[in-house]
Amino acid sequence: MSAPTTTRETTTGTGAAAHQAAGSVAAPVEVRSVTLHDPLVRPLLDELAHEYATRYRNLLDEDDLRAEMEHYPAADFAAPDGDLVLLLADGEPVAGGAFRRRAEPELGEPARRTRPGDGRSALRDDPRPDAHETHSEDGSPLVATAELKRIWTHSAHRRRGLARQVLVELEDRAAERGYARIYLTTGPRQPEAAGLYLSAGYTPLFDVSRDPEDVGPLAFEKWLCPHVSAPA
């Protein structure tokens, strides 16, 4: 099933706290599905590049940063398997994010993966070795899995609930495309992102008590279709 490509209006923020953080009454924003090469995406890519360069300056050089931003082709974030969504205020992008089909081996600790619907470990709680298998031996997902990428909020529009709005929009669209599960990683120096995913019900596939710098990329998962109990 294709995700909607038509635009629509919604409202930023939820509750008085969001309105106070925004400094005014919540304004309507337009939700638009775009391609990676749309000029409206440029602020997203530029700010993400600056963010990565600032937070990981001793780990990534310019070549590494360029390779990271250009690692996935535009087709990955387009129908039928992907999407790229922007939130626009007065025609200007204020937040966005994308998803693609994840087919490669995943990061994270296998023992922390959950089976759909019950939150229990996929590698424990069931004596049958082939029960509720979610991944192949190399860590590749066996169920239809959407990987979230490029979650972004404009630096002038943060603390308004926009990132959560993008997250919900991507989850809804991924579910409409038939994905049963979402997977993502975020960097160890992005605690705001990790906090967002934890608060939105994502399961960390790492020990949250460890220093994130020792973990490296922080992997999360979330089941969109709790009724799914077998590989898609």
Side-chain angles (χ1 to χ4, degrees), residues 112-114 119 197-198 201-206 219-222:
R112 295 181 184 274
R113 295 180 187 138
T114 57
Y197 302 132
L198 288 170
Y202 284 73
T203 298
L205 302 179
F206 60 93
F220 294 83
E221 71 169 358
K222 183 177 183 178

Side-chain angles (χ1 to χ4, degrees), residues 132-178:
H132 303 283
E133 287 291 347
T134 60
H135 292 73
S136 62
E137 290 185 1
D138 71 352
S140 301
L142 294 175
V143 295
T145 296
E147 179 180 21
L148 300 192
K149 303 291 292 184
R150 311 294 185 246
I151 307 297
W152 162 81
T153 302
H154 192 290
S155 57
H157 296 274
R158 292 177 180 171
R159 302 186 66 81
R160 295 174 56 187
L162 293 171
R164 176 64 67 90
Q165 189 172 340
V166 169
L167 196 59
V168 170
E169 185 72 28
L170 294 175
E171 290 175 357
D172 288 347
R173 291 178 179 231
E176 289 173 355
R177 298 285 179 91

Side-chain angles (χ1 to χ4, degrees), residues 116-117 175 178-181 222-229:
Y179 288 108
R181 175 178 173 269
K222 183 177 183 178
W223 287 94
L224 297 177
C225 306
H227 61 280
V228 175
S229 59

Side-chain angles (χ1 to χ4, degrees), residues 20-80:
Q20 182 177 2
S24 63
V25 175
V29 297
E30 177 188 350
V31 182
R32 184 182 299 181
S33 180
V34 297
T35 67
L36 188 63
H37 297 309
D38 191 305
L40 287 171
V41 180
R42 178 49 53 187
L44 179 155
L45 298 178
D46 288 346
E47 276 213 334
L48 283 177
H50 176 73
E51 187 92 358
Y52 294 156
T54 301
R55 298 201 186 204
Y56 301 99
R57 65 180 66 196
N58 64 327
L59 297 177
L60 297 174
D61 59 24
E62 290 187 11
D63 290 338
D64 294 330
L65 183 59
R66 188 178 301 108
E68 162 60 24
M69 296 303 295
E70 299 176 355
H71 182 71
Y72 300 105
D76 277 18
F77 303 115

